[in-house]
Amino acid sequence: MSISAAQVKELRDLTGAGMMDCKAALQETNGDMESAVDLLRKKGLAKAAKKAGRIAADGLIGLAVQGQKGVVVEVNSETDFVARNDLFQGLVKMIANVALAVGTDVEKIKAAKVGHLTIAEALADTIAKIGENMSLRRASTLSVGNGVMASYVHNSVEEGLGKIGVLVALESTGKADELKRFGRMVAMHVAASNPQAIDPSGLDPEVIRREKDVLSDKFKAQGKPANVIDKIVESGLKTFYKEVCLLDQAFIHEPDKNVAQAVRDLMTRDLKAED
């Protein structure tokens, strides 16, 4: 099948492998990106198994927090130029505030009224004024019972608007100001590191199976005996968890600690402060 230059570039960005190796892998897997990543890793040609976890779309993320609840919405546009438009920015803020009240179901958000217009009508009105198509893609919410909500917006164009939005809920009876400060640091870490889960138990079993298969096949091809391969796979999974699980990742603010250790240090400081 024909492999496009864009596909080769995407695979190269994901793996760090050479252009020709990427093209050959895509041809061998009939253009299936995930299978091509696995193939390159089995051959030892990929430096890492990066996760393409973010949608490469234009538009803005809108983030709103009220008390112990927060919401993030994604509103897409045809071009990035629209993200700097005041009308569009106002629309995204309005949608985030509505989602905070009505929940994250996209159709319910569109049906909700702000003044005499529904969100769907406000969206259509903004499209007509700007002359570019746009859509509410998705929304997500997070809340905490006894603790604080923290947030961070990366590449912010206005307060609560940017390219990446992160909400962090910290369940704790500790000092609210200290928790919020730390929560924002964790949110910044998430924006930079893009974890797939909080810990290994939150990973999709299929993701773990694929990782095991890649590691096993890679070392089988090198002629390693089965008992050695089992140990290598176990060790390799631990390394994988450090890359994709939040608590196991090196904390970007203190790289000598992982996030779990940073959380424990915060708890220890709070306990000492109370004593």
Side-chain angles (χ1 to χ4, degrees), residues 72-93:
V72 180
V73 300
E74 179 183 344
V75 184
N76 294 146
S77 58
E78 289 181 43
T79 66
D80 190 50
F81 179 76
V82 173
R84 299 189 291 275
N85 184 287
D86 290 342
L87 279 176
F88 183 69
Q89 291 177 7
L91 175 71
V92 177
K93 280 186 179 181

Side-chain angles (χ1 to χ4, degrees), residues 43-110:
K43 291 182 176 181
L45 297 173
K47 297 176 184 176
K50 296 180 183 177
K51 178 69 174 179
R54 298 191 177 103
I55 304 299
D58 289 321
L60 284 173
I61 294 294
L63 187 150
V65 175
Q66 186 175 55
Q68 293 170 303
K69 181 181 179 182
V71 69
V72 180
V73 300
E74 179 183 344
V75 184
N76 294 146
S77 58
E78 289 181 43
T79 66
D80 190 50
F81 179 76
V82 173
R84 299 189 291 275
N85 184 287
D86 290 342
L87 279 176
F88 183 69
Q89 291 177 7
L91 175 71
V92 177
K93 280 186 179 181
M94 182 168 61
I95 291 173
N97 288 327
V98 167
L100 198 57
V102 306
T104 58
D105 183 279
V106 169
E107 294 308 314
K108 285 184 179 178
I109 295 172
K110 288 181 180 178

Side-chain angles (χ1 to χ4, degrees), residues 68 142-151 167-187 246-247 259 263 266-267 270:
Q68 293 170 303
L142 189 64
S143 61
V144 62
N146 187 14
V148 301
M149 287 296 306
S151 63
L167 291 171
V168 170
L170 294 176
E171 189 85 35
S172 174
T173 56
K175 296 179 179 178
D177 56 346
E178 179 69 10
L179 288 171
K180 280 195 174 182
R181 183 193 68 80
F182 180 74
R184 179 174 170 79
M185 292 171 67
V186 173
L246 174 61
L247 293 178
V259 175
V263 171
L266 176 68
M267 292 171 61
D270 276 348

Side-chain angles (χ1 to χ4, degrees), residues 125-160:
D125 186 54
T126 307
I127 291 170
K129 288 177 179 176
I130 294 177
E132 183 171 314
N133 194 31
M134 52 196 68
S135 63
L136 170 60
R137 182 175 180 271
R138 55 181 172 166
S140 184
T141 189
L142 189 64
S143 61
V144 62
N146 187 14
V148 301
M149 287 296 306
S151 63
Y152 171 71
V153 176
H154 186 63
N155 282 349
S156 177
V157 295
E158 277 279 338
E159 185 175 354

